[in-house]
Amino acid sequence: MSNPKPVFAGRTILSSTISKSYTQEIAEKSELVRTNVKPNGKKPYLVGFLANDDPAAEAYATWTQKTCEDMGFEYSLRRVPNKDFLEEKIIEANNDNDIDGIMIYFPVFGDAQDQYLKQVIKMEKDVEGLNHTYYQNMYHNIRYLDEEKKLKSIVPCTPLAIIKILEFLKVYNSLLPLGNRLYGKKAIIINRSEIVGRPLAALMANDGCTVYSVDVHNIQKFTRGEGLKFSKHQVEDLGANTPELLKELSLDADIVITGVPVDNYKFPTESLKEGAVCINFSFHKNFSDDVKSKASLYVPSTGKVTICMLLRNMLRLIENNYHKEAKPQVGEQ
């Protein structure tokens, strides 16, 4: 009589566990920034604007406040019941020198107007990295805002958080040079939003990964461009998103990342490659309870790591502004 095949059970890794690897570093950096960089000696100050009744946004705001309080940041949640006044409130915050960072809990209008609101936030206070300059730099793999390489560009915080999660899980091969550490890996991302899915695909492709980006209508393939090490990624349209094509690509993917913003979506466990790494960044649970029967590592949410990256971005903005103000202007030398 043959022995039964052992039941495999992968590990669940919580975002709270991963975020602990960054909290001390960020708290220490916050204190250094407060004492050495900020002219008034006050704590770094973040303002979040909430103009919707989305439970995911409300939860994100609660996590942000708690994390700020735990790590030595000042935080204020400003609720805007009438979303038509949100732009005016953002401009007021732009002009308030005591405020170091501004964020909006999306969606607000749920359409192109949300894209406009992202650009209303002053670039120097955009902790989420949604300004068009930051996006352009990210897509073209440009790491700095200046030729002297003193002002670091900001990376959108949720895609950055997922990259940091992959690094924590040792999916990135640290023995390979920067820009190649996902070489040989294949990933599938079930989301192509402009806030997370598309930029994440670009970041991973720029690090050497073959990424299949999935939305409701079609599937695109992201790969790193030929030539220079930091060349722009390339995108190929693979056609309509059919169950057959999606399953074929999924069964070959080392990494599966989901971000479907509806409660009834579940990624089919039978479409997972044995030993795949699975990460969900949706507020809703996109994987079934049996995901660990196939996945080696499963991260059910990313929120706490995202907030860490958001605060990390704010400290970088404060330092950038300090360096810009310290740099002699034309005629002052």
Side-chain angles (χ1 to χ4, degrees), residues 200-321:
L200 177 60
L203 286 169
M204 292 177 68
N206 284 339
D207 283 333
C209 189
T210 298
V211 183
Y212 299 103
S213 174
V214 180
D215 73 0
V216 174
H217 304 292
N218 69 348
I219 299 177
Q220 294 180 342
K221 180 180 179 181
F222 284 61
T223 53
R224 189 175 55 201
E226 299 294 330
L228 295 175
K229 178 182 175 183
F230 293 131
S231 59
K232 184 179 182 294
H233 64 277
Q234 304 295 307
V235 181
E236 177 186 354
D237 196 335
L238 299 184
N241 175 8
T242 64
E244 295 78 18
L245 178 58
L246 180 59
K247 184 172 184 178
E248 176 188 343
L249 297 174
S250 300
L251 286 170
D252 197 34
D254 308 288
I255 308 157
V256 178
I257 301 171
T258 57
V260 181
V262 294
D263 189 42
N264 60 357
Y265 173 81
K266 293 290 184 286
F267 186 90
T269 302
E270 64 271 17
S271 296
L272 287 174
K273 178 181 179 179
E274 293 280 355
V277 171
C278 296
I279 300 172
N280 173 55
F281 65 83
S282 172
F283 176 72
H284 302 282
K285 189 177 175 183
N286 284 173
F287 288 99
S288 301
D289 292 336
D290 63 351
V291 59
K292 289 186 292 180
S293 66
K294 298 285 287 290
S296 58
L297 299 170
Y298 169 50
V299 181
S301 67
T302 62
K304 293 186 178 180
V305 182
T306 297
I307 295 167
C308 281
M309 294 304 107
L310 185 146
L311 297 179
R312 195 167 172 260
N313 278 350
M314 185 163 75
L315 294 176
R316 184 164 288 179
L317 288 171
I318 294 171
E319 288 184 315
N320 282 354
N321 294 334

Side-chain angles (χ1 to χ4, degrees), residues 176-196:
L176 294 175
L178 288 172
N180 290 287
R181 290 182 173 176
L182 285 180
Y183 178 77
K185 300 291 185 183
K186 293 181 181 179
I188 191 159
I189 303 173
I190 316 296
N191 175 289
R192 204 186 301 141
S193 68
E194 293 299 330
I195 293 180
V196 187

